[in-house]
Amino acid sequence: PDTAVVHKKMDQSNQSIEFSGEEDKGTYGFLSNRFISPFEINGKKWPSVEHYFQAQKFAGTEHEEAVRNAKNVEAAHKMGRDRSRPLRNDWDQVKEKAAFDGILAKFTQNEELKAKLIQTNPASIVQRTRNDAYWGVTKDGKGENKMGQIIESVRSQLVTEIGDKSEENH
């Protein structure tokens, strides 16, 4: 049922798709880092991008593993924001790559989600947040929307791969 809605909405190339960064519900909830969709990176299984992203703040420490094993997304999020845990020194330099890596793994390792993401093409993707003007866009319309840009970048890579495969078959 959701697929039909996506197809119908994708008739306009200037379409903008909005999803909430705080929840994983609704037609586009699958875009959220909080959406449960297990994937594997470097031999480790992650329940969600949120688990992976928050854990990368502590890569190579026992805190990374603790966040990976958090009982749910909310717990992983809270642990990742807990400043009593030692944040890696280069976090500001690597946080966008960490988000990209997790999102790429999520959408390349789940065919259903990959198809849903590709169906959003070429619409712009906007993460709505309450107060995070770096990763999303706030209710007053301000923000860099880095998460939306990263998801669009992953989508572009997937669309290109499909195009390359269809070229090989001709």
Side-chain angles (χ1 to χ4, degrees):
D2 281 349
T3 307
V5 174
V6 174
H7 280 303
K8 188 175 179 184
K9 290 182 178 177
M10 291 302 95
D11 292 343
Q12 302 165 352
S13 61
N14 62 353
Q15 176 79 23
S16 177
I17 291 173
E18 296 184 358
F19 72 99
S20 170
E22 281 93 26
E23 58 183 60
D24 62 0
K25 298 169 180 55
T27 302
Y28 299 109
F30 73 95
L31 296 170
S32 173
N33 286 350
R34 294 171 180 255
F35 189 85
I36 297 298
S37 176
F39 57 88
E40 198 173 292
I41 293 181
N42 296 329
K44 290 184 179 178
K45 197 163 181 103
W46 299 90
S48 70
V49 173
E50 190 68 17
H51 281 81
Y52 177 77
F53 178 78
Q54 295 298 340
Q56 295 317 295
K57 294 176 177 179
F58 319 109
T61 72
E62 70 275 8
H63 300 285
E64 176 185 18
E65 200 62 15
V67 176
R68 184 173 75 88
N69 291 314
K71 66 180 185 243
N72 56 41
V73 173
E74 290 75 23
H77 182 78
K78 189 174 180 183
M79 292 168 80
R81 297 181 64 84
D82 178 357
R83 291 293 69 95
S84 70
R85 296 175 187 270
L87 185 68
R88 61 192 277 183
N89 293 333
D90 63 348
W91 181 241
D92 280 340
Q93 290 76 45
V94 301
K95 63 186 177 185
E96 289 181 26
K97 182 178 179 346
F100 180 87
D101 291 347
I103 292 166
L104 181 65
K106 168 184 174 177
F107 286 107
T108 55
Q109 296 177 33
N110 183 312
E111 291 299 321
E112 182 182 342
L113 293 183
K114 180 196 291 187
K116 286 174 81 168
L117 177 60
I118 289 169
Q119 287 169 359
T120 66
N121 196 45
S124 61
I125 296 174
V126 178
Q127 176 177 273
R128 287 284 174 187
T129 67
R130 280 183 292 232
N131 57 10
D132 189 339
Y134 181 79
W135 291 109
V137 175
T138 60
K139 63 181 172 228
D140 62 4
K142 294 188 168 85
E144 294 184 51
N145 192 37
K146 293 291 185 183
M147 195 58 64
Q149 293 171 16
I150 290 169
I151 295 169
E152 288 178 29
S153 177
V154 166
R155 179 185 65 194
S156 177
Q157 185 172 324
L158 296 174
V159 168
T160 300
E161 287 173 7
I162 288 172
D164 290 347
K165 285 180 183 162
S166 66
E167 289 289 320
E168 290 171 10
N169 294 331
H170 284 74

